[in-house]
């Protein structure tokens, strides 16, 4: 039955996303990303940015099916999906109108986290970080930390959503890892919720990578970021054996990308934290490691260059996911792994900025398969 749950979510998301792509002429005026002038715009043509609708189709179908499975814990599941709709709705409105500010979207995700905390009991009550856990025992502190964490993770997923398949595959890696650990500890509800999310995001991925026929959009990014954060919180809250460092390490790539971006903009450059720029790690990889594409602006080249960037970041995400899965119950090893990841990220970033990237990472020509497929 669990495999059927995954397949239903995958099929529903794929079908919903396919409908979005095939009907783009009808709604593209409102849903398409027509602005290609910004510093973080790398697509070669107008593309629907409402892929979150397809993901939501998979989530809803999978959720309904799961309610009829043994031990469904209906109230918790309904509370989570209801809370998630708040985050999804704010992002979707932005996808259509381009008038919802980042602050308003963060407030919506914070509200969604508050609803999940209230109705589903999704609260951070331990971190295994020295000096933090005693503070969580103070009235209201754990709730505030929970709201901040969920909003931060959701926003961080939106930050890394810059290239075809980048965010969606990273989300799939995180959800797959959470499903594995939930299965290890026998938590059927979290296992099923992770599978529903995994099937839904992979159904979207099929049409997002490599050709970028549809984008995740703010609705999809904020909703899936919320979903990953809530599953991680509940997994730790419900299972004492799971280290609270497990979900933190699992999500550390988008989290550290966001924190480093804030530091880079505000401290190093003296600019507003929310001001977009083209200095994210994924942007630098796109511009400096794809040497074969330097100076070329034709659609086929830009598409190949875009799609070839994402696997670098999937590897970076896996650098955190592998030790997270290996030592999900060992906080000391997870903390050490987190430090190793942050050091690796900074070393890679510095190497690219200083043009000292290891030669093995630099692409001097496009792979034949991608070059042929774009003709």
């Amino acid at each position: 039955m669990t495999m059927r749950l995954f397949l239903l979510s995958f099929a529903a998301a794929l079908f919903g996303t396919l409908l979005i792509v095939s009907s783009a002429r009808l709604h593209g005026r409102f849903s398409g990303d027509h602005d290609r002038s910004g510093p973080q715009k790398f697509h070669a043509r107008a593309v629907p940015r409402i892929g979150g609708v397809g993901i939501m189709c998979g989530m809803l179908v999978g959720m309904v099916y799961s309610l009829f499975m043994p031990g469904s814990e209906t109230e918790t599941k309904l509370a989570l999906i209801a809370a998630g709709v708040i985050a999804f709705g704010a992002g979707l409105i932005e996808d259509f109108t381009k008038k919802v500010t980042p602050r308003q979207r963060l407030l919506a995700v914070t509200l969604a986290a508050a609803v999940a905390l209230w109705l589903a009991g999704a609260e951070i009550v331990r971190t295994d970080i020295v000096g933090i856990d005693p503070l969580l025992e103070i009235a209201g502190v754990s709730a505030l930390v929970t709201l901040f964490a969920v909003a931060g993770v959701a926003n961080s997923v939106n930050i890394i959503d810059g290239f075809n398949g980048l965010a969606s595959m990273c989300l799939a890696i995180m959800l797959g890892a959470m499903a594995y650990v939930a299965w290890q500890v026998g938590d059927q509800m979290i296992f099923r919720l992770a599978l529903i999310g995994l099937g839904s995001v992979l159904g979207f991925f099929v049409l997002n990578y490599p050709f970028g026929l549809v984008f995740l959009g703010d609705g999809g990014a904020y909703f899936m970021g919320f979903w990953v954060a809530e599953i991680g919180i509940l997994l730790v809250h419900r299972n004492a054996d799971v280290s609270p460092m497990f979900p933190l390490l699992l999500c550390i790539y988008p989290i550290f990308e966001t924190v480093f971006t804030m530091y880079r903009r505000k401290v190093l450059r003296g600019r507003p934290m929310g001001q977009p720029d083209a200095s994210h790690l994924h942007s630098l990889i796109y511009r400096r490691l794809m040497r074969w594409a330097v100076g070329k602006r034709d659609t086929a080249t830009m598409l190949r260059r875009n799609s070839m960037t994402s696997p670098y970041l999937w590897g970076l995400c896996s650098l955190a996911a592998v030790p997270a899965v290996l030592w999900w119950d060992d906080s000391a090893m997870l903390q050490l792994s987190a430090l190793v990841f942050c050091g690796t990220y900074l070393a890679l970033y510095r190497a690219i900025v200083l043009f000292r990237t290891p030669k093995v990472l630099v692409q001097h020509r496009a792979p034949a398969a991608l070059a042929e497929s774009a003709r």
Side-chain angles (χ1 to χ4, degrees):
M1 292 184 73
T2 53
M3 180 57 68
R4 191 178 303 170
L5 178 66
F6 169 80
L7 292 175
L8 277 173
S9 300
F10 174 85
L14 177 59
F15 180 72
T17 308
L18 186 59
L19 283 180
I20 292 170
V21 173
S22 61
S23 62
R25 291 184 180 179
L26 300 178
H27 55 75
R29 178 182 174 186
F30 306 101
S31 66
D33 193 345
H34 300 276
D35 180 15
R36 286 175 277 164
S37 60
Q40 298 184 47
K41 303 293 184 177
F42 300 102
H43 54 288
R45 61 186 184 280
V47 177
R49 49 176 288 162
I50 55 172
V53 174
I55 288 178
M56 184 57 77
C57 289
M59 294 294 299
L60 292 176
V61 169
M63 190 65 71
V64 169
Y65 181 78
S66 73
L67 295 179
F68 295 95
M69 299 175 73
S72 66
E73 300 191 47
T74 302
E75 292 183 1
T76 301
K77 289 180 178 179
L78 291 179
L80 282 179
I81 199 69
V85 167
I86 299 173
F88 172 70
L92 188 64
I93 293 172
E94 160 64 10
D95 291 333
F96 276 109
T97 68
K98 316 298 188 293
K99 295 181 179 180
V100 183
T101 66
R103 179 174 296 181
Q104 290 171 330
R105 279 172 268 158
L106 281 175
L107 285 174
V109 179
T110 303
L111 175 60
V115 172
L117 189 154
W118 176 39
L119 297 179
E123 183 175 6
I124 296 174
V125 295
R126 58 190 176 97
T127 64
D128 284 0
I129 300 176
V130 177
I132 299 297
D133 286 0
L135 297 177
L136 297 179
E137 298 177 3
I138 301 173
V141 173
S142 63
L144 290 175
V145 170
T146 300
L147 302 186
F148 178 80
V150 174
V153 171
N155 184 62
S156 70
V157 170
N158 193 49
I159 289 288
I160 67 168
D161 183 27
F163 291 95
N164 298 341
L166 199 169
S168 52
M169 180 50 69
C170 286
L171 285 164
I173 292 170
M174 297 173 196
L175 288 164
M178 287 185 180
Y180 170 77
V181 173
W183 175 73
Q184 285 285 88
V185 297
D187 193 328
Q188 285 296 314
M189 190 195 76
I190 300 299
F191 178 61
R192 291 167 183 171
L193 292 178
L195 280 186
I196 292 171
L198 179 60
S200 299
V201 79
L202 288 178
F204 160 82
F205 177 83
V206 171
L207 294 172
N208 176 240
Y209 187 85
F211 301 115
L213 301 178
V214 62
F215 290 162
L216 189 60
D218 284 6
Y222 278 102
F223 173 74
M224 289 309 301
F226 166 84
W227 196 255
V228 165
E230 292 295 342
I231 290 177
I233 291 171
L234 283 171
L235 179 61
V236 173
H237 189 79
R238 291 159 56 96
N239 302 279
D241 290 341
V242 181
S243 168
M245 292 301 301
F246 166 70
L248 177 61
L249 178 59
L250 202 56
C251 301
I252 198 168
Y253 161 50
I255 291 174
F256 192 73
E257 174 73 43
T258 303
V259 172
F260 182 69
T261 296
M262 294 168 65
Y263 168 79
R264 173 172 48 78
R265 290 174 181 170
K266 188 67 175 180
V267 178
L268 298 183
R269 299 189 176 181
R271 299 178 180 177
M273 291 183 183
Q275 181 179 346
D277 60 31
S279 297
H280 291 293
L281 179 60
H282 52 261
S283 303
L284 293 177
I285 289 174
Y286 174 85
R287 296 203 315 269
R288 298 194 177 183
L289 299 194
M290 305 297 150
R291 298 286 174 82
W292 58 274
V294 172
K296 300 179 181 180
R297 298 289 298 177
D298 61 282
T299 299
T301 297
M302 290 180 67
L303 177 60
R304 295 199 302 273
R305 191 179 187 182
N306 184 314
S307 299
M308 290 170 62
T309 299
S310 295
Y312 285 89
L313 286 313
W314 300 343
L316 189 64
C317 184
S318 298
L319 185 64
V322 170
V325 168
L326 290 176
W327 298 300
W328 55 267
D329 58 348
D330 188 335
S331 291
M333 288 300 298
L334 294 175
Q335 290 171 352
L336 177 60
S337 298
L339 291 176
V340 170
F341 176 90
C342 294
T344 302
Y345 177 101
L346 292 174
L348 179 61
Y349 193 97
R350 185 174 185 274
I352 296 176
V353 168
L354 298 178
F355 293 96
R356 296 176 181 173
T357 311
K359 293 182 180 180
V360 69
L361 297 179
V362 179
Q363 289 283 350
H364 291 284
R365 65 175 183 174
L370 270 177
E372 184 66 28
S373 64
R375 291 176 182 174

